[in-house]
Amino acid sequence: MSDYPRIIQGGMGAGVSNWRLARAVSQLGHLGVVSGTALDQILARRLQDGDLGGHMRRALAHFPARELAERIQREFYIPGGKHERTPYTHLPSHDKDGPRGREELCMVANFVEVFLAREGHHNAVGINYLEKIQIPHLPSLYGAMLAGVSYVLMGAGIPVKIPGVLDRFVHHQPATYPLHVAGARECEEAEMSFDPANFVMENLPPLTRPRFLAIISSNVLAAAMLKKANGSVDGFVIEGPTAGGHNAPPRGKLQLDETGEVIYGERDRVDLDKICQLGRPFWLAGGYGSAEKLRQASTVGAAGIQVGTAFAFCEESGLRSDYKQAILEKVARSKARVATDPSASPTGFPFKIVQLEGTLSEAEIYLARPRVCDLGYLRETYRTPEGEIGYRCSGEPLTVYISKGGKPEDSAGKRCLCNALLASIGHPQVRGNNLIETGVVTSGDDLSTLGRFLSADGLTYKAADVLANLLSQ
Ligand SMILES: Cc1cc2nc3c(=O)[nH]c(=O)nc-3n(C[C@H](O)[C@H](O)[C@H](O)COP(=O)(O)O)c2cc1C
């Protein structure tokens, strides 16, 4: 186990665990993980915001296919940044077969984020994806591997076909990935494909095969991963329901408490003895962000812990600083609260939301927003009555969703997390009528414990403070 990290800084999308945070953690000898979610939009928007510090352009200059990177820079870079009332360029949505420009942007953006997180040190850097956001997988993985990513971590689904993709990309071979299509029969299954030779120059040396860690929350899923994966699964992150972001739905019937929060029970507990018997290293996540929990994890045979919440609000994270300040102020006054919302996320998974009055995540204000789906990461792929592939999102306008066969009850309470999460990292879309998208902030239940990092003279702390705290005796 000696070359495995004890502390993994969890991947936090979209753009919360950005290259700065992952680099800070990796530089200190732990595993920094960038979020791989929506990186194509994030790169395009950082360039449109003027690429302060020139980091995007510096990384682009290292991409192996120079002409392609230059084209992306020409298309999106605005010297000095766009006017704050000017909307960001709309990108055509990802679909099963491309479009090619979107695949290129995706591959290059994943390269850029990993390249920057690796800059200036020789330690490992990981990347995190949600299995559920399937369409960008192939170009994303290839771009991250071109930049030398050491770990790929994936949850929110059953990623049995990812290990085989990693093996093929080591030698720049074409790879395929099955696309889940709602309502399709087995014989109608769809597949995506990606051939590196169509995008970058030939004769590149072989790449390093990153270790693959599956993020799971049940024994059944861990065993199924080992049995069914088409390549090596190198370990597991076992994530409990107090973790930030999306949570696995509870086993059995969904039950809510009197405040509308999801109730988890005994059946949701993972049997760690059984996990040990699988013979793979594992890390515990969800409320493990303390020195005591790290020691506890070691005593039950874990290689270490994965921590999200404590890093999400530190100086280096991508979360907007006004949001960070407002939330940490609440933490300091012991007023911070997080709720597990069963219906906010179009993925259908429970999603944890920080409760804040005013401009952040107050439900009434947010739900008054006209429904628009123009980013499309959380769209569901479905089979149309004509046998074609269609795309729908339970957060899009209701009539449109229903016309695509969506059920009205599935759209109740849904938020456009794609736009809200990009707003939370400082890239809000601007719409007609002066509407600027508002953010939604996710966090784990550990939020209330962050007061330990705050001092009398400031509501701010660094990733190094989190690590020092985790490793304290
Ligand atoms: C702001 C935030 C965003 C997150 N986004 C993701 C994500 O995109 N993918 C993922 O696998 N986990 C995500 N997580 C979960 C973390 O990677 C990590 O497993 C979890 O936060 C650990 O529990 P803790 O929050 O109690 O430390 C997120 C967590 C937070 C706080």
Side-chain angles (χ1 to χ4, degrees):
M1 294 255 199
S2 59
D3 72 331
Y4 285 106
R6 274 186 86 201
I7 299 170
I8 301 177
Q9 161 257 304
M12 295 178 282
V16 173
S17 63
N18 58 10
W19 62 271
R20 279 179 208 279
L21 174 57
R23 191 178 62 160
V25 173
S26 288
Q27 267 177 330
L28 291 167
H30 304 277
L31 183 61
V33 177
V34 294
S35 164
T37 301
L39 280 176
D40 46 0
Q41 280 285 352
I42 293 173
L43 172 64
R45 291 188 180 193
R46 285 178 185 153
L47 287 169
Q48 288 168 79
D49 285 337
D51 185 23
L52 215 66
H55 305 296
M56 301 303 113
R57 284 163 291 156
R58 187 172 72 255
L60 283 169
H62 286 84
F63 188 75
R66 286 301 310 277
E67 189 274 327
L68 168 51
E70 280 164 11
R71 188 154 25 94
I72 287 174
Q73 183 169 321
R74 270 197 308 278
E75 189 173 350
F76 296 106
Y77 175 54
I78 302 177
K82 72 170 187 65
H83 188 276
E84 64 174 347
R85 294 275 162 181
T86 307
Y88 290 105
T89 302
H90 173 75
L91 302 180
S93 291
H94 279 285
D95 61 39
K96 175 182 159 291
D97 303 310
R100 186 184 165 96
R102 199 67 199 267
E103 289 179 310
E104 290 172 347
L105 183 59
C106 201
M107 170 179 62
V108 172
N110 277 260
F111 172 91
V112 163
E113 201 72 2
V114 173
F115 174 88
L116 291 171
R118 293 191 64 217
E119 213 177 23
H121 63 92
H122 297 288
N123 297 330
V125 164
I127 194 159
N128 171 285
Y129 300 103
L130 302 170
E131 204 281 332
K132 225 165 176 165
I133 305 183
Q134 296 186 319
I135 292 178
H137 279 344
L138 295 172
S140 299
L141 286 165
Y142 186 64
M145 284 176 67
L146 276 178
V149 78
S150 298
Y151 284 80
V152 169
L153 301 93
M154 195 180 282
I158 313 178
V160 287
K161 302 283 189 207
I162 293 290
V165 172
L166 302 180
D167 294 337
R168 291 194 68 78
F169 283 165
V170 168
H171 302 289
H172 310 277
Q173 290 165 329
T176 59
Y177 196 80
L179 180 64
H180 174 75
V181 180
R185 288 169 300 182
E186 220 166 276
C187 59
E188 295 173 331
E189 268 168 11
E191 201 171 59
M192 298 174 294
S193 60
F194 182 85
D195 184 352
N198 291 336
F199 292 88
V200 293
M201 62 221 193
E202 286 167 19
N203 301 325
L204 288 175
L207 303 172
T208 305
R209 201 276 195 185
R211 284 174 170 163
F212 177 67
L213 308 185
I215 304 171
I216 49 117
S217 48
S218 82
N219 291 95
V220 176
L221 203 49
M225 279 302 304
L226 291 184
K227 198 163 157 211
K228 297 194 181 151
N230 63 351
S232 172
V233 177
D234 303 289
F236 295 105
V237 174
I238 320 277
E239 195 180 70
T242 60
H246 284 96
N247 299 140
R251 300 305 137 238
K253 196 167 172 285
L254 179 72
Q255 291 185 325
L256 306 179
D257 68 12
E258 64 285 357
T259 63
E261 278 205 60
V262 180
I263 300 177
Y264 289 88
E266 205 40 47
R267 289 176 66 195
D268 301 302
R269 203 176 293 280
V270 176
D271 182 337
L272 295 178
D273 288 338
K274 285 196 183 142
I275 295 286
C276 284
Q277 286 161 21
L278 296 175
R280 296 288 194 283
F282 63 93
W283 290 261
L284 299 179
Y288 276 84
S290 71
E292 189 198 338
K293 285 285 192 180
L294 175 57
R295 282 193 289 277
Q296 197 180 313
S298 307
T299 60
V300 295
I305 54 176
Q306 170 167 290
V307 177
T309 298
F311 288 111
F313 299 90
C314 77
E315 241 175 78
E316 295 91 336
S317 89
L319 198 60
R320 263 165 70 161
S321 51
D322 54 338
Y323 284 17
K324 258 186 229 173
Q325 287 284 309
I327 292 169
L328 288 177
E329 218 164 78
K330 279 219 153 197
V331 169
R333 290 189 288 118
S334 305
K335 296 267 187 223
R337 204 176 95 74
V338 180
T340 309
D341 191 320
S343 50
S345 172
T347 61
F349 287 119
F351 187 66
K352 281 213 164 42
I353 298 181
V354 179
Q355 307 296 297
L356 267 176
E357 311 91 35
T359 53
L360 292 185
S361 58
E362 195 186 344
E364 292 83 359
I365 294 177
Y366 195 85
L367 292 172
R369 165 191 180 271
R371 284 178 173 242
V372 181
C373 173
D374 59 353
L375 296 178
Y377 292 99
L378 300 179
R379 291 186 311 169
E380 177 185 47
T381 309
Y382 72 99
R383 179 72 57 182
T384 67
E386 297 74 38
E388 307 285 314
I389 283 187
Y391 304 91
R392 66 186 173 210
C393 177
S394 50
E396 71 188 325
L398 192 57
T399 46
V400 178
Y401 183 58
I402 291 173
S403 73
K404 296 174 180 175
K407 296 191 195 122
E409 62 270 27
D410 289 345
S411 78
K414 292 288 178 275
R415 296 183 175 197
C416 175
L417 287 192
C418 296
N419 271 293
L421 293 176
L422 282 173
S424 297
I425 55 165
H427 304 303
Q429 183 57 297
V430 180
R431 304 195 182 281
N433 309 327
N434 278 341
L435 174 81
I436 299 183
E437 291 283 357
T438 333
V440 161
V441 180
T442 179
S443 161
D445 292 352
D446 259 3
L447 179 66
S448 59
T449 72
L450 301 188
R452 67 198 140 128
F453 302 122
L454 307 177
S455 62
D457 43 300
L459 293 171
T460 171
Y461 61 95
K462 292 192 167 235
D465 299 325
V466 177
L467 292 167
N469 183 270
L470 295 176
L471 294 167
S472 61
Q473 291 303 310

